[in-house]
């Protein structure tokens, strides 16, 4: 597989047992002409400091800091050919996490890169060489926690902590020298399956059961990062069944992990997934805030509340979740999704960092203590399914290290490291990647509505697919208007934000176009700030999105990607073109049929 580490020699047969040893090995192999003195400085932790000395360089860092410093130096050298005289760097977040949604039967929920890297046939089934490759990839961009199993803990993953401890211990051994710690998703109701009459978090026996479980787990994997939990969400069990709060549920597990330094990551993805579409009093984006805001200040110190970046579910465009701005006394992680569930299944090109950077325009980086991303990895030869989707894993690492990272610079680094393209082609590819999200956004659901996808699998257009369903994701398009009024006068969602954001989005006349239909319900004849009507803007975006995709495919054909990546990239590009055409025509026809308003420019909209 072609990765951003392609210029490094293989680790096959190499012996190393700690991040520091690996740092020495990598430096000595990659940059033989330089002399690097590595000076351990535990106080620097994951951070590192580079300085010029007579005859070479000095790299200081904690154990993992030396490794991250080594990769940074090596990759910088390979990308730019130069190193600064002095540099110091430390990560903004101490937990930089990848969440795999891998099931023990070998499938991956929302996985588009083949089967699981970790499981097959109900058993642990990893290939040690592949795991080392993965550990190296993660470490090279500073990622340090890997949750290996799905947050939907299906049979037999419930038993992972009981039946598979020796395998988990061996896997942790493989990842340890890369500074990557394992995490596991656990089922809140596990005590029931283990024979207890209840899983009530305040029940002393339940608490003792979890403490005993944590003890056994940490005896096998002493540096386990902790547990990840999806509770009372999409039919998963949770504390509500016992009349307990999510703080009580999370704190019970946190108490079991605390003696071992583990964290309990508790997901805030809780909403009514059995809503009646006739019910206009419930607005799904309000749910997380309503569930968790009253609990602010009640979570134990080693609990991290993991909040999806938007209030819905990884749509192409969503505002920042209001919870991330509101909770001041709770440690929080923001959850992103590298797996392209709603963003093209790793068929359509979709580079995420421009979107992530927009989130950080509204989120002060210190509001959160960790970043997590749902994995886009799998067992395919190309570990991210689409060779160009690897840019999302690479740039996620860079973002989790430093949310101030320059998006264009990071994408450019990835292009340069991964592909041996002439410089002019590097520029072309960088700009194609950076514009890919806008292109995708143009041909899919318009102006912040989201959800016009085929239900369940979430690929391709279906404007009313979720309209009369139970998931609370409605656009309510009729012959006059479309969108939901989420202002104070409407569902009141906007009231969950600080005053400045309420003002920014509250008035449709000044609300940014791309969020317009998320916040407002407007007639098709609504005049946008540029003078176009709303319906014309919808048509224009869709035709443009398709035209941009055609141009994208032609540009990709001209780039000198090596085989077999070239074939894979071009075959996926053709699939994207078909997808874009389908989206463009179906969305335009949908709105044309409803509104009866023709395209001012007379382009073909099918009757
Ligand atoms: C892991 C969405 C996805 C589910 C996912 C869920 C979650 O609903 O479609 O596949 O389940 O989010 O994030 O828990």
């Amino acid at each position: 597989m072609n990765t951003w580490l392609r210029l490094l020699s293989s680790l096959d047969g190499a012996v190393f047992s700690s991040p520091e040893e690996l740092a020495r090995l990598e430096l000595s192999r990659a940059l033989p002409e330089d002399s690097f003195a590595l000076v351990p400085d535990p106080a620097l932790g994951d951070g590192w400091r580079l300085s010029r000395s007579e005859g070479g360089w000095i790299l200081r860092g904690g154990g993992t800091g030396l490794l991250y410093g080594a990769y940074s130096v090596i990759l910088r050298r390979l990308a730019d050919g130069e190193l600064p005289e002095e540099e110091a760097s430390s990560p903004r977040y101490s937990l930089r996490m990848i969440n795999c949604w891998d099931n023990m039967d070998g499938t991956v929920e929302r996985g588009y890169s083949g089967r699981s890297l970790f499981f097959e046939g109900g058993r642990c089934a990893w290939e040690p060489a592949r795991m080392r490759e993965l550990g190296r990839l993660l470490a090279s961009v500073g990622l340090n926690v890997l949750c290996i199993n799905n947050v939907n803990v299906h049979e037999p993953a419930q038993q992972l902590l009981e039946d598979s401890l020796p395998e988990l211990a061996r896997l942790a051994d493989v990842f340890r020298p890369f500074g990557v710690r394992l995490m596991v998703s656990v089922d809140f109701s596990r005590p029931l399956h283990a024979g207890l009459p209840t899983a009530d978090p305040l029940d002393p026996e339940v608490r003792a059961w979890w403490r005993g479980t944590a003890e056994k787990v940490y005896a096998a994997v002493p540096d386990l990062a902790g547990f990840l939990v999806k509770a009372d969400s999409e039919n998963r069990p949770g504390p509500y069944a016992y009349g307990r709060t999510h703080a009580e549920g999370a704190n019970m597990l946190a108490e079991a992990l605390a003696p071992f330094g583990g964290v309990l990551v508790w997901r805030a993805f809780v909403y009514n997934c059995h809503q009646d579409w006739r019910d206009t009093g419930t607005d799904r984006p309000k749910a997380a805030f309503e569930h968790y805001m009253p609990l602010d200040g009640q979570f134990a110190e080693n609990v991290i509340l993991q909040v999806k970046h938007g209030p819905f579910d990884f749509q192409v465009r969503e505002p920042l979740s209001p919870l991330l701005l509101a909770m001041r006394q709770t440690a929080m992680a923001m959850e992103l999704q590298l797996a392209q569930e709603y963003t093209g299944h790793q068929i359509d090109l979709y580079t995420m960092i421009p979107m992530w950077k927009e989130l950080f325009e509204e989120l002060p980086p210190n509001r959160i203590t960790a970043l997590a991303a749902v994995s886009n990895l799998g067992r395919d030869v190309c570990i991210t399914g689409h060779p160009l989707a690897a840019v999302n894993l690479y740039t996620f690492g860079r973002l989790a290290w430093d949310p101030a990272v320059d998006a264009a610079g990071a994408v450019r680094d990835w292009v340069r490291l991964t592909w041996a393209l002439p410089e002019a082609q590097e520029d072309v590819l960088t700009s194609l990647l950076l514009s890919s999200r806008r292109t995708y956004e143009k041909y899919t659901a318009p102006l912040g509505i989201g959800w016009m996808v085929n239900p369940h699998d979430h690929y391709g257009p279906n404007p009313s697919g979720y309209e009369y369903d139970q998931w609370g994701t409605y656009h309510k398009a009729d012959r006059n208007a479309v969108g939901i009024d989420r202002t104070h006068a409407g569902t009141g969602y906007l009231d969950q934000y600080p005053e400045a954001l309420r003002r920014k989005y509250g008035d449709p006349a000044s609300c940014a176009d791309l969020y317009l239909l998320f916040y407002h319900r407007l007639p098709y004849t609504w005049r946008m700030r540029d003078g176009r009507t709303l319906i014309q803007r919808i048509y224009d975006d869709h035709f443009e999105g398709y035209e941009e995709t055609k141009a994208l495919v032609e540009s990709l054909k001209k780039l000198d990607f090596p085989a077999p990546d070239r074939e894979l990239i071009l075959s996926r590009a053709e699939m994207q073109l078909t997808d874009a055409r389908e989206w463009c025509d179906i969305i335009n026809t949908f709105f044309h049929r409803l509104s009866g308003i023709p395209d001012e420019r007379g382009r073909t909209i099918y009757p």
Side-chain angles (χ1 to χ4, degrees):
M1 173 210 168
N2 211 12
T3 74
W4 62 87
L5 299 182
R6 84 194 146 90
L7 295 170
L8 274 58
S9 45
S10 153
L11 285 181
D12 285 355
V15 181
F16 51 88
S17 61
S18 68
E20 185 183 329
E21 280 180 30
L22 179 57
R24 288 182 195 283
L25 183 84
E26 294 280 30
L27 278 170
S28 68
R29 286 170 152 207
L31 304 174
E33 79 280 8
D34 284 313
S35 116
F36 277 86
L38 265 61
V39 182
D41 182 348
L44 289 175
D46 282 357
W48 52 270
R49 210 175 285 148
L50 179 73
S51 52
R52 196 84 171 102
S53 74
E54 266 175 46
W57 302 88
I58 301 176
L59 180 62
R60 293 189 167 76
T64 42
L66 289 173
L67 184 62
Y68 300 138
Y71 281 126
S72 178
V73 163
I74 293 167
L75 295 180
R76 188 93 54 87
R77 255 303 166 77
L78 296 174
D80 304 341
E82 283 185 12
L83 287 180
E85 292 283 301
E86 292 269 337
E87 190 177 355
S89 186
S90 58
R92 162 65 75 167
Y93 304 115
S94 57
L95 296 177
R96 304 173 296 278
M97 309 186 274
I98 293 290
N99 294 176
C100 300
W101 287 354
D102 291 32
N103 300 312
M104 288 193 76
D105 64 2
T107 58
V108 179
E109 182 155 350
R110 312 306 178 187
Y112 312 106
S113 310
R115 295 184 69 79
S116 168
L117 281 163
F118 312 109
F119 309 110
E120 193 54 73
R123 302 176 30 251
C124 299
W126 41 75
E127 295 163 30
R130 207 92 210 270
M131 293 299 104
R132 292 224 303 190
E133 209 182 315
L134 175 58
R136 195 186 200 196
L137 274 181
L138 299 180
S140 71
V141 286
L143 296 170
N144 67 354
V145 174
L146 182 66
C147 184
I148 55 169
N149 65 314
N150 192 355
V151 289
N152 291 325
V153 186
H154 303 298
E155 256 324 298
Q158 281 120 336
Q159 281 118 263
L160 198 59
L161 295 183
E162 290 138 62
D163 300 349
S164 304
L165 282 181
E167 282 95 336
L168 282 183
R170 276 196 290 278
L171 189 62
D173 290 346
V174 177
F175 283 117
R176 195 165 293 117
F178 296 97
V180 174
R181 292 194 297 152
L182 294 185
M183 183 174 272
V184 280
S185 298
V186 300
D187 174 0
F188 191 82
S189 68
R190 185 64 202 146
L192 293 178
H193 304 265
L196 266 63
T198 176
D200 180 347
L202 298 192
D203 182 276
E205 268 192 86
V206 171
R207 300 177 88 91
W209 187 87
W210 280 111
R211 279 198 302 272
T213 300
E215 228 167 79
K216 283 183 225 145
V217 173
Y218 277 88
V221 186
D223 57 353
L224 189 85
F227 294 164
L228 174 62
V229 182
K230 171 174 178 177
D232 290 314
S233 162
E234 300 186 330
N235 308 316
R236 305 314 300 166
Y240 286 160
Y242 307 97
R244 308 301 183 193
T245 70
H246 275 214
E248 287 167 329
N251 292 348
M252 179 266 300
L253 291 167
E255 175 193 84
L257 296 170
F260 311 100
V263 293
L264 190 270
V265 181
W266 188 268
R267 296 176 83 234
F269 183 58
V270 178
Y271 66 99
N272 177 7
C273 66
H274 297 287
Q275 194 178 323
D276 188 326
W277 60 270
R278 301 168 191 84
D279 161 16
T280 50
T282 307
D283 186 21
R284 171 167 160 185
K286 292 169 72 178
F289 188 100
E290 288 171 345
H291 283 278
Y292 292 99
M293 205 39 215
L295 303 179
D296 197 16
Q298 295 180 26
F299 289 98
E301 261 183 23
N302 60 333
V303 173
I304 295 180
L305 190 66
Q306 186 164 298
V307 183
K308 288 194 183 188
H309 68 75
F312 262 133
D313 188 12
F314 301 134
Q315 301 302 293
V316 180
R317 183 166 298 271
E318 289 186 45
L320 182 72
S321 166
L323 200 57
L324 289 166
L325 295 173
M327 287 185 93
R328 301 293 181 96
Q329 299 171 69
T330 302
M332 283 183 296
M334 178 160 72
E335 182 178 314
L336 307 171
Q337 190 188 40
L338 309 181
Q340 290 176 229
E341 176 178 357
Y342 294 97
T343 54
H345 284 206
Q346 284 139 251
I347 296 169
D348 300 28
L349 206 62
Y350 190 101
T351 301
M352 299 178 176
I353 192 165
M355 170 171 102
W356 301 334
K357 292 293 291 182
E358 284 172 14
L359 299 170
F360 277 104
E361 279 169 23
E362 283 176 357
L363 179 69
N366 60 1
R367 272 299 157 73
I368 53 174
T369 59
L371 261 192
V374 178
S375 159
N376 60 356
L377 301 167
R379 203 178 274 251
D380 278 0
V381 174
C382 172
I383 201 168
T384 50
H386 190 314
L388 300 178
V391 71
N392 291 325
L393 180 64
Y394 174 86
T395 50
F396 172 66
R398 297 281 301 270
L399 183 90
W401 187 273
D402 177 12
V405 65
D406 172 54
V411 170
R412 171 73 188 217
D413 288 347
W414 177 80
V415 166
R416 179 158 288 177
L417 290 166
T418 308
W419 309 104
L421 297 175
E423 202 170 324
Q425 294 195 15
E426 285 179 356
D427 292 343
V428 173
L429 181 55
T430 302
S431 88
L432 291 177
L433 292 170
L434 286 167
S435 57
S436 59
R437 183 250 184 152
R438 261 307 281 143
T439 297
Y440 184 85
E441 181 174 29
K442 281 184 183 173
Y443 61 73
T444 55
L447 309 179
I449 296 184
W451 295 108
M452 291 187 153
V453 285
N454 280 309
H456 313 303
D457 109 310
H458 301 161
Y459 190 77
N462 190 339
S464 291
Y466 274 117
E467 205 47 25
Y468 303 99
D469 218 324
Q470 62 188 359
W471 301 94
T473 53
Y474 318 116
H475 54 68
K476 306 203 172 168
D478 64 18
R479 64 182 178 163
N480 300 313
V482 55
I484 306 287
D485 178 0
R486 296 198 161 96
T487 66
H488 184 71
T491 69
Y493 165 82
L494 200 54
D495 296 340
Q496 295 181 343
Y497 284 104
E499 177 60 26
L501 291 183
R502 280 187 235 163
R503 262 189 274 114
K504 186 168 168 186
Y505 295 110
D507 179 354
S510 55
C511 173
D513 291 352
L514 297 176
Y515 291 93
L516 202 56
L517 298 179
F518 179 88
Y519 286 115
H520 301 283
R521 176 167 185 81
L522 294 170
Y524 299 116
T525 50
W526 172 262
R527 283 278 160 205
M528 312 283 289
R529 279 171 297 167
D530 66 5
R532 283 183 286 178
T533 58
L534 170 63
I535 189 76
Q536 191 56 40
R537 172 67 194 258
I538 292 175
Y539 295 151
D540 287 351
D541 273 8
H542 284 78
F543 285 120
E544 267 170 46
Y546 177 53
E547 289 305 318
E548 284 174 20
T549 308
K550 278 206 260 182
L552 165 73
V553 175
E554 290 313 306
S555 303
L556 287 173
K557 284 184 189 157
K558 293 189 193 123
L559 300 180
D560 298 327
F561 294 116
D565 296 304
R566 183 180 165 78
E567 288 63 41
L568 198 50
I569 290 169
L570 296 186
S571 68
R572 294 200 174 203
E574 291 299 336
M575 289 159 78
Q576 174 172 3
L577 191 58
T578 308
D579 188 44
R581 173 76 200 264
E582 204 63 3
W583 271 102
C584 168
D585 287 345
I586 290 179
I587 297 296
N588 280 345
T589 293
F590 173 77
F591 282 109
H592 182 245
R593 283 184 186 166
L594 277 178
S595 68
I597 302 174
D599 171 36
E600 276 170 9
R601 294 171 58 189
R603 291 162 292 192
T604 303
I605 297 182
Y606 295 88

